[in-house]
């Protein structure tokens, strides 16, 4: 998924090399591997650098092994993606 070109706007970024347990958040688009994501047919967002899934936890997003939990299923609404878990 490449929503914005490098150098413009902000990209969803897996922090600290995109390793498991690290947060993901907004950072200026610079073309890093941890800013490239794959949207799967199951609704997951996988960071291409590690294959981990964006997982809604608390008020943020954390990278976790993809296991099909509802906190890893995302839907697109307008210009934003939202986890399908309750309260998101």
């Amino acid at each position: 998924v490449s929503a914005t070109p490098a150098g413009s706007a902000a990209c969803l970024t897996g922090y600290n090399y995109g390793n498991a347990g690290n947060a993901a958040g907004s950072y200026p688009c610079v073309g890093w591997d941890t800013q490239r994501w794959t949207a799967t047919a199951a609704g997951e967002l996988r960071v291409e650098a590690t294959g981990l899934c964006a997982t809604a936890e608390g008020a943020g997003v954390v990278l976790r092994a993809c296991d099909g939990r509802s906190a890893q299923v995302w839907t697109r609404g307008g210009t934003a993606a939202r986890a399908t878990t309750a309260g998101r």
Side-chain angles (χ1 to χ4, degrees):
V1 172
S2 180
T4 53
S8 67
C11 286
L12 179 61
T13 304
Y15 298 136
N16 297 318
Y17 307 104
N19 292 319
N22 289 320
S26 179
Y27 192 84
C29 299
V30 292
W32 294 335
D33 290 345
T34 57
Q35 292 181 327
R36 288 193 284 277
W37 298 80
T38 299
T40 70
E44 301 163 328
L45 290 176
R46 292 182 183 233
V47 65
E48 290 184 9
T50 61
L52 296 172
C53 278
T55 307
E57 288 188 12
V61 178
V62 177
L63 299 175
R64 300 276 182 220
C66 302
D67 59 16
R69 67 181 99 173
S70 61
Q72 293 178 340
V73 178
W74 298 82
T75 58
R76 182 177 173 163
T79 60
R82 291 181 174 75
T84 58
T85 58
R88 299 258 186 290

